Amino acid sequence: DNFESWPESATYGYFGGGFNPGLPNYVNTVDRIDFSNETTSAPGNNLPQARYSLAAVSSSSYGYFGGGSTAVPFSSYSIETTLSTVDRIDFSSETLSLPGNNLPQAKDDSATVSSSSYGYFGGGFFTPPFTYIDTITRFDFSNETTSAPGNNLPQARSSLAAVSSDSYGYFGAGYNYPPPSGPAVYYNTIDRIDFSSETTSAPGNNLPQAKYQLAAVSSSSY
């Protein structure tokens, strides 16, 4: 628990990608925040592909940006395409590369949690066609492969958020828009994944308000 002995990942935070209402709309920028003085800067290496609504997991040595959506030229106009791409940032050198293994399913608006061994991408959205996802995908930090732990969220939903302790990850809220015309369903649900068994369950206490497109942080207690 000694901050000074932690690896580079405990020294900086990295924000990758996004959507800008100006031009260009889709962003590949990686921005760095220095935890020691809370200043922001650009490490100089960006995502190879501009995209937004992506998610990320991290080990002590690397960060992994997965999924998202981008605009792809099509004839005289562009269409939005959902991606399965995983890009890796090396915390020691701040260079970006492709580990070679992508998510098995293209999706955006997922939520993620990380244990010491694995990262988990939960839920999300795929277009086209308009599909909401209940899948949990596991990313193995030791060999950078992806697989399915076999237990998914009980509801397909996107725009959820997640927090984690040493033992559990918690996926909270989100929404679903059932075909063909809704109405939209908004969730206050909290679902738990047990890192030791990779089973999912409901801890029994949900958020006091249904909502989506939220963000989440974790301390050691809350």
Side-chain angles (χ1 to χ4, degrees), residues 151-179:
N151 296 294
N152 296 321
L153 298 173
Q155 310 101 356
R157 61 194 202 264
S158 73
S159 299
L160 60 168
V163 294
S164 60
S165 68
D166 290 337
S167 301
Y168 302 100
Y170 301 88
F171 296 95
Y175 88 113
N176 189 330
Y177 196 81

PDB file of all heavy atoms in Angstrom, residues 151-179:
ATOM      1  N   ASN A 151     -20.615 -16.556 -17.258  1.00  0.00           N
ATOM      2  CA  ASN A 151     -21.709 -15.945 -16.506  1.00  0.00           C
ATOM      3  C   ASN A 151     -21.864 -14.500 -16.963  1.00  0.00           C
ATOM      4  O   ASN A 151     -20.904 -13.729 -16.926  1.00  0.00           O
ATOM      5  CB  ASN A 151     -21.417 -15.988 -15.006  1.00  0.00           C
ATOM      6  CG  ASN A 151     -21.336 -17.409 -14.493  1.00  0.00           C
ATOM      7  OD1 ASN A 151     -22.320 -18.146 -14.493  1.00  0.00           O
ATOM      8  ND2 ASN A 151     -20.139 -17.813 -14.061  1.00  0.00           N
ATOM      9  N   ASN A 152     -23.065 -14.157 -17.394  1.00  0.00           N
ATOM     10  CA  ASN A 152     -23.322 -12.835 -17.942  1.00  0.00           C
ATOM     11  C   ASN A 152     -24.224 -12.012 -17.036  1.00  0.00           C
ATOM     12  O   ASN A 152     -24.715 -12.507 -16.009  1.00  0.00           O
ATOM     13  CB  ASN A 152     -23.956 -12.972 -19.329  1.00  0.00           C
ATOM     14  CG  ASN A 152     -23.020 -13.617 -20.326  1.00  0.00           C
ATOM     15  OD1 ASN A 152     -21.827 -13.355 -20.318  1.00  0.00           O
ATOM     16  ND2 ASN A 152     -23.568 -14.473 -21.179  1.00  0.00           N
ATOM     17  N   LEU A 153     -24.455 -10.770 -17.388  1.00  0.00           N
ATOM     18  CA  LEU A 153     -25.391  -9.923 -16.658  1.00  0.00           C
ATOM     19  C   LEU A 153     -26.808 -10.465 -16.843  1.00  0.00           C
ATOM     20  O   LEU A 153     -27.141 -10.989 -17.909  1.00  0.00           O
ATOM     21  CB  LEU A 153     -25.318  -8.487 -17.171  1.00  0.00           C
ATOM     22  CG  LEU A 153     -23.968  -7.772 -17.019  1.00  0.00           C
ATOM     23  CD1 LEU A 153     -24.011  -6.425 -17.723  1.00  0.00           C
ATOM     24  CD2 LEU A 153     -23.613  -7.594 -15.553  1.00  0.00           C
ATOM     25  N   PRO A 154     -27.672 -10.328 -15.846  1.00  0.00           N
ATOM     26  CA  PRO A 154     -29.031 -10.838 -15.993  1.00  0.00           C
ATOM     27  C   PRO A 154     -29.892 -10.040 -16.964  1.00  0.00           C
ATOM     28  O   PRO A 154     -30.893 -10.533 -17.453  1.00  0.00           O
ATOM     29  CB  PRO A 154     -29.602 -10.768 -14.573  1.00  0.00           C
ATOM     30  CG  PRO A 154     -28.789  -9.722 -13.893  1.00  0.00           C
ATOM     31  CD  PRO A 154     -27.425  -9.816 -14.494  1.00  0.00           C
ATOM     32  N   GLN A 155     -29.486  -8.787 -17.244  1.00  0.00           N
ATOM     33  CA  GLN A 155     -30.208  -7.976 -18.231  1.00  0.00           C
ATOM     34  C   GLN A 155     -29.218  -7.442 -19.263  1.00  0.00           C
ATOM     35  O   GLN A 155     -28.109  -7.024 -18.918  1.00  0.00           O
ATOM     36  CB  GLN A 155     -30.909  -6.768 -17.588  1.00  0.00           C
ATOM     37  CG  GLN A 155     -31.764  -7.063 -16.382  1.00  0.00           C
ATOM     38  CD  GLN A 155     -31.043  -6.711 -15.105  1.00  0.00           C
ATOM     39  OE1 GLN A 155     -29.897  -6.313 -15.108  1.00  0.00           O
ATOM     40  NE2 GLN A 155     -31.742  -6.858 -13.986  1.00  0.00           N
ATOM     41  N   ALA A 156     -29.630  -7.467 -20.521  1.00  0.00           N
ATOM     42  CA  ALA A 156     -28.845  -6.816 -21.560  1.00  0.00           C
ATOM     43  C   ALA A 156     -29.013  -5.311 -21.416  1.00  0.00           C
ATOM     44  O   ALA A 156     -30.139  -4.811 -21.383  1.00  0.00           O
ATOM     45  CB  ALA A 156     -29.310  -7.288 -22.933  1.00  0.00           C
ATOM     46  N   ARG A 157     -27.917  -4.574 -21.302  1.00  0.00           N
ATOM     47  CA  ARG A 157     -28.019  -3.132 -21.145  1.00  0.00           C
ATOM     48  C   ARG A 157     -26.690  -2.454 -21.467  1.00  0.00           C
ATOM     49  O   ARG A 157     -25.627  -3.090 -21.425  1.00  0.00           O
ATOM     50  CB  ARG A 157     -28.467  -2.764 -19.730  1.00  0.00           C
ATOM     51  CG  ARG A 157     -27.563  -3.195 -18.586  1.00  0.00           C
ATOM     52  CD  ARG A 157     -28.320  -3.050 -17.275  1.00  0.00           C
ATOM     53  NE  ARG A 157     -27.494  -2.942 -16.095  1.00  0.00           N
ATOM     54  CZ  ARG A 157     -27.181  -3.971 -15.302  1.00  0.00           C
ATOM     55  NH1 ARG A 157     -27.608  -5.190 -15.600  1.00  0.00           N
ATOM     56  NH2 ARG A 157     -26.445  -3.783 -14.217  1.00  0.00           N
ATOM     57  N   SER A 158     -26.773  -1.187 -21.793  1.00  0.00           N
ATOM     58  CA  SER A 158     -25.584  -0.405 -22.115  1.00  0.00           C
ATOM     59  C   SER A 158     -25.567   0.851 -21.263  1.00  0.00           C
ATOM     60  O   SER A 158     -26.501   1.123 -20.500  1.00  0.00           O
ATOM     61  CB  SER A 158     -25.574  -0.040 -23.599  1.00  0.00           C
ATOM     62  OG  SER A 158     -26.534   0.949 -23.886  1.00  0.00           O
ATOM     63  N   SER A 159     -24.496   1.640 -21.409  1.00  0.00           N
ATOM     64  CA  SER A 159     -24.339   2.908 -20.683  1.00  0.00           C
ATOM     65  C   SER A 159     -24.420   2.706 -19.180  1.00  0.00           C
ATOM     66  O   SER A 159     -24.935   3.546 -18.446  1.00  0.00           O
ATOM     67  CB  SER A 159     -25.392   3.927 -21.136  1.00  0.00           C
ATOM     68  OG  SER A 159     -25.253   4.205 -22.505  1.00  0.00           O
ATOM     69  N   LEU A 160     -23.924   1.567 -18.704  1.00  0.00           N
ATOM     70  CA  LEU A 160     -23.820   1.287 -17.283  1.00  0.00           C
ATOM     71  C   LEU A 160     -22.444   1.722 -16.793  1.00  0.00           C
ATOM     72  O   LEU A 160     -21.621   2.189 -17.569  1.00  0.00           O
ATOM     73  CB  LEU A 160     -24.054  -0.200 -17.014  1.00  0.00           C
ATOM     74  CG  LEU A 160     -23.133  -1.258 -17.643  1.00  0.00           C
ATOM     75  CD1 LEU A 160     -23.384  -2.627 -17.005  1.00  0.00           C
ATOM     76  CD2 LEU A 160     -23.326  -1.396 -19.150  1.00  0.00           C
ATOM     77  N   ALA A 161     -22.176   1.569 -15.504  1.00  0.00           N
ATOM     78  CA  ALA A 161     -20.876   1.899 -14.927  1.00  0.00           C
ATOM     79  C   ALA A 161     -20.488   0.792 -13.964  1.00  0.00           C
ATOM     80  O   ALA A 161     -21.318  -0.053 -13.593  1.00  0.00           O
ATOM     81  CB  ALA A 161     -20.924   3.246 -14.215  1.00  0.00           C
ATOM     82  N   ALA A 162     -19.229   0.772 -13.551  1.00  0.00           N
ATOM     83  CA  ALA A 162     -18.768  -0.328 -12.705  1.00  0.00           C
ATOM     84  C   ALA A 162     -17.706   0.134 -11.723  1.00  0.00           C
ATOM     85  O   ALA A 162     -16.925   1.048 -12.011  1.00  0.00           O
ATOM     86  CB  ALA A 162     -18.222  -1.460 -13.569  1.00  0.00           C
ATOM     87  N   VAL A 163     -17.686  -0.505 -10.566  1.00  0.00           N
ATOM     88  CA  VAL A 163     -16.665  -0.303  -9.533  1.00  0.00           C
ATOM     89  C   VAL A 163     -16.189  -1.666  -9.062  1.00  0.00           C
ATOM     90  O   VAL A 163     -16.827  -2.690  -9.320  1.00  0.00           O
ATOM     91  CB  VAL A 163     -17.197   0.518  -8.331  1.00  0.00           C
ATOM     92  CG1 VAL A 163     -17.531   1.936  -8.749  1.00  0.00           C
ATOM     93  CG2 VAL A 163     -18.421  -0.151  -7.710  1.00  0.00           C
ATOM     94  N   SER A 164     -15.058  -1.684  -8.366  1.00  0.00           N
ATOM     95  CA  SER A 164     -14.555  -2.977  -7.897  1.00  0.00           C
ATOM     96  C   SER A 164     -13.832  -2.845  -6.571  1.00  0.00           C
ATOM     97  O   SER A 164     -13.246  -1.810  -6.255  1.00  0.00           O
ATOM     98  CB  SER A 164     -13.620  -3.601  -8.946  1.00  0.00           C
ATOM     99  OG  SER A 164     -12.515  -2.771  -9.200  1.00  0.00           O
ATOM    100  N   SER A 165     -13.901  -3.922  -5.789  1.00  0.00           N
ATOM    101  CA  SER A 165     -13.085  -4.105  -4.607  1.00  0.00           C
ATOM    102  C   SER A 165     -12.028  -5.154  -4.945  1.00  0.00           C
ATOM    103  O   SER A 165     -11.897  -5.562  -6.102  1.00  0.00           O
ATOM    104  CB  SER A 165     -13.953  -4.585  -3.435  1.00  0.00           C
ATOM    105  OG  SER A 165     -14.433  -5.908  -3.682  1.00  0.00           O
ATOM    106  N   ASP A 166     -11.281  -5.632  -3.955  1.00  0.00           N
ATOM    107  CA  ASP A 166     -10.309  -6.689  -4.220  1.00  0.00           C
ATOM    108  C   ASP A 166     -10.991  -7.999  -4.586  1.00  0.00           C
ATOM    109  O   ASP A 166     -10.406  -8.831  -5.276  1.00  0.00           O
ATOM    110  CB  ASP A 166      -9.432  -6.920  -2.986  1.00  0.00           C
ATOM    111  CG  ASP A 166      -8.487  -5.764  -2.719  1.00  0.00           C
ATOM    112  OD1 ASP A 166      -8.184  -5.020  -3.675  1.00  0.00           O
ATOM    113  OD2 ASP A 166      -8.059  -5.601  -1.564  1.00  0.00           O
ATOM    114  N   SER A 167     -12.229  -8.178  -4.148  1.00  0.00           N
ATOM    115  CA  SER A 167     -12.901  -9.472  -4.308  1.00  0.00           C
ATOM    116  C   SER A 167     -14.027  -9.472  -5.327  1.00  0.00           C
ATOM    117  O   SER A 167     -14.341 -10.518  -5.900  1.00  0.00           O
ATOM    118  CB  SER A 167     -13.478  -9.924  -2.952  1.00  0.00           C
ATOM    119  OG  SER A 167     -12.467 -10.034  -1.976  1.00  0.00           O
ATOM    120  N   TYR A 168     -14.651  -8.312  -5.563  1.00  0.00           N
ATOM    121  CA  TYR A 168     -15.837  -8.262  -6.413  1.00  0.00           C
ATOM    122  C   TYR A 168     -15.801  -7.072  -7.362  1.00  0.00           C
ATOM    123  O   TYR A 168     -15.186  -6.039  -7.074  1.00  0.00           O
ATOM    124  CB  TYR A 168     -17.112  -8.148  -5.564  1.00  0.00           C
ATOM    125  CG  TYR A 168     -17.314  -9.254  -4.569  1.00  0.00           C
ATOM    126  CD1 TYR A 168     -16.990  -9.079  -3.223  1.00  0.00           C
ATOM    127  CD2 TYR A 168     -17.838 -10.485  -4.958  1.00  0.00           C
ATOM    128  CE1 TYR A 168     -17.188 -10.098  -2.298  1.00  0.00           C
ATOM    129  CE2 TYR A 168     -18.027 -11.505  -4.044  1.00  0.00           C
ATOM    130  CZ  TYR A 168     -17.702 -11.307  -2.716  1.00  0.00           C
ATOM    131  OH  TYR A 168     -17.889 -12.323  -1.814  1.00  0.00           O
ATOM    132  N   GLY A 169     -16.506  -7.223  -8.470  1.00  0.00           N
ATOM    133  CA  GLY A 169     -16.815  -6.110  -9.341  1.00  0.00           C
ATOM    134  C   GLY A 169     -18.312  -5.878  -9.334  1.00  0.00           C
ATOM    135  O   GLY A 169     -19.096  -6.832  -9.206  1.00  0.00           O
ATOM    136  N   TYR A 170     -18.739  -4.632  -9.453  1.00  0.00           N
ATOM    137  CA  TYR A 170     -20.164  -4.294  -9.388  1.00  0.00           C
ATOM    138  C   TYR A 170     -20.546  -3.473 -10.618  1.00  0.00           C
ATOM    139  O   TYR A 170     -19.983  -2.396 -10.848  1.00  0.00           O
ATOM    140  CB  TYR A 170     -20.468  -3.484  -8.125  1.00  0.00           C
ATOM    141  CG  TYR A 170     -20.128  -4.193  -6.831  1.00  0.00           C
ATOM    142  CD1 TYR A 170     -18.862  -4.102  -6.275  1.00  0.00           C
ATOM    143  CD2 TYR A 170     -21.089  -4.958  -6.167  1.00  0.00           C
ATOM    144  CE1 TYR A 170     -18.543  -4.750  -5.094  1.00  0.00           C
ATOM    145  CE2 TYR A 170     -20.788  -5.620  -4.978  1.00  0.00           C
ATOM    146  CZ  TYR A 170     -19.499  -5.502  -4.452  1.00  0.00           C
ATOM    147  OH  TYR A 170     -19.188  -6.149  -3.287  1.00  0.00           O
ATOM    148  N   PHE A 171     -21.484  -3.988 -11.401  1.00  0.00           N
ATOM    149  CA  PHE A 171     -22.009  -3.278 -12.570  1.00  0.00           C
ATOM    150  C   PHE A 171     -23.330  -2.625 -12.187  1.00  0.00           C
ATOM    151  O   PHE A 171     -24.252  -3.307 -11.722  1.00  0.00           O
ATOM    152  CB  PHE A 171     -22.234  -4.254 -13.724  1.00  0.00           C
ATOM    153  CG  PHE A 171     -20.967  -4.902 -14.233  1.00  0.00           C
ATOM    154  CD1 PHE A 171     -20.561  -6.140 -13.764  1.00  0.00           C
ATOM    155  CD2 PHE A 171     -20.177  -4.255 -15.169  1.00  0.00           C
ATOM    156  CE1 PHE A 171     -19.397  -6.733 -14.225  1.00  0.00           C
ATOM    157  CE2 PHE A 171     -19.006  -4.844 -15.642  1.00  0.00           C
ATOM    158  CZ  PHE A 171     -18.618  -6.085 -15.168  1.00  0.00           C
ATOM    159  N   GLY A 172     -23.430  -1.314 -12.370  1.00  0.00           N
ATOM    160  CA  GLY A 172     -24.603  -0.590 -11.904  1.00  0.00           C
ATOM    161  C   GLY A 172     -25.314   0.205 -12.974  1.00  0.00           C
ATOM    162  O   GLY A 172     -24.683   0.835 -13.835  1.00  0.00           O
ATOM    163  N   ALA A 173     -26.655   0.158 -12.942  1.00  0.00           N
ATOM    164  CA  ALA A 173     -27.537   0.986 -13.771  1.00  0.00           C
ATOM    165  C   ALA A 173     -27.412   0.636 -15.253  1.00  0.00           C
ATOM    166  O   ALA A 173     -27.049  -0.469 -15.622  1.00  0.00           O
ATOM    167  CB  ALA A 173     -27.299   2.464 -13.489  1.00  0.00           C
ATOM    168  N   GLY A 174     -27.731   1.614 -16.130  1.00  0.00           N
ATOM    169  CA  GLY A 174     -27.748   1.394 -17.569  1.00  0.00           C
ATOM    170  C   GLY A 174     -29.156   1.408 -18.130  1.00  0.00           C
ATOM    171  O   GLY A 174     -30.136   1.645 -17.407  1.00  0.00           O
ATOM    172  N   TYR A 175     -29.266   1.152 -19.452  1.00  0.00           N
ATOM    173  CA  TYR A 175     -30.587   1.139 -20.059  1.00  0.00           C
ATOM    174  C   TYR A 175     -30.628   0.204 -21.256  1.00  0.00           C
ATOM    175  O   TYR A 175     -29.599  -0.268 -21.760  1.00  0.00           O
ATOM    176  CB  TYR A 175     -31.017   2.552 -20.445  1.00  0.00           C
ATOM    177  CG  TYR A 175     -30.599   3.030 -21.816  1.00  0.00           C
ATOM    178  CD1 TYR A 175     -31.550   3.264 -22.808  1.00  0.00           C
ATOM    179  CD2 TYR A 175     -29.258   3.265 -22.113  1.00  0.00           C
ATOM    180  CE1 TYR A 175     -31.169   3.714 -24.069  1.00  0.00           C
ATOM    181  CE2 TYR A 175     -28.874   3.725 -23.354  1.00  0.00           C
ATOM    182  CZ  TYR A 175     -29.831   3.934 -24.336  1.00  0.00           C
ATOM    183  OH  TYR A 175     -29.451   4.369 -25.571  1.00  0.00           O
ATOM    184  N   ASN A 176     -31.854  -0.089 -21.695  1.00  0.00           N
ATOM    185  CA  ASN A 176     -32.114  -0.953 -22.840  1.00  0.00           C
ATOM    186  C   ASN A 176     -33.297  -0.352 -23.589  1.00  0.00           C
ATOM    187  O   ASN A 176     -34.207   0.216 -22.974  1.00  0.00           O
ATOM    188  CB  ASN A 176     -32.444  -2.371 -22.358  1.00  0.00           C
ATOM    189  CG  ASN A 176     -32.522  -3.383 -23.480  1.00  0.00           C
ATOM    190  OD1 ASN A 176     -32.868  -3.065 -24.608  1.00  0.00           O
ATOM    191  ND2 ASN A 176     -32.204  -4.634 -23.160  1.00  0.00           N
ATOM    192  N   TYR A 177     -33.274  -0.491 -24.901  1.00  0.00           N
ATOM    193  CA  TYR A 177     -34.362   0.030 -25.730  1.00  0.00           C
ATOM    194  C   TYR A 177     -34.900  -1.129 -26.568  1.00  0.00           C
ATOM    195  O   TYR A 177     -34.407  -1.390 -27.667  1.00  0.00           O
ATOM    196  CB  TYR A 177     -33.851   1.157 -26.625  1.00  0.00           C
ATOM    197  CG  TYR A 177     -34.930   2.005 -27.233  1.00  0.00           C
ATOM    198  CD1 TYR A 177     -35.531   3.023 -26.502  1.00  0.00           C
ATOM    199  CD2 TYR A 177     -35.349   1.794 -28.542  1.00  0.00           C
ATOM    200  CE1 TYR A 177     -36.520   3.826 -27.066  1.00  0.00           C
ATOM    201  CE2 TYR A 177     -36.337   2.584 -29.112  1.00  0.00           C
ATOM    202  CZ  TYR A 177     -36.924   3.596 -28.369  1.00  0.00           C
ATOM    203  OH  TYR A 177     -37.903   4.379 -28.918  1.00  0.00           O
ATOM    204  N   PRO A 178     -35.874  -1.868 -26.036  1.00  0.00           N
ATOM    205  CA  PRO A 178     -36.336  -3.082 -26.714  1.00  0.00           C
ATOM    206  C   PRO A 178     -36.870  -2.798 -28.113  1.00  0.00           C
ATOM    207  O   PRO A 178     -37.560  -1.796 -28.327  1.00  0.00           O
ATOM    208  CB  PRO A 178     -37.451  -3.595 -25.790  1.00  0.00           C
ATOM    209  CG  PRO A 178     -37.188  -2.955 -24.473  1.00  0.00           C
ATOM    210  CD  PRO A 178     -36.582  -1.624 -24.780  1.00  0.00           C
ATOM    211  N   PRO A 179     -36.549  -3.666 -29.076  1.00  0.00           N
ATOM    212  CA  PRO A 179     -37.074  -3.474 -30.436  1.00  0.00           C
ATOM    213  C   PRO A 179     -38.548  -3.810 -30.497  1.00  0.00           C
ATOM    214  O   PRO A 179     -39.046  -4.553 -29.645  1.00  0.00           O
ATOM    215  CB  PRO A 179     -36.241  -4.487 -31.254  1.00  0.00           C
ATOM    216  CG  PRO A 179     -35.871  -5.550 -30.273  1.00  0.00           C
ATOM    217  CD  PRO A 179     -35.684  -4.835 -28.954  1.00  0.00           C
TER     218      PRO A 179
END
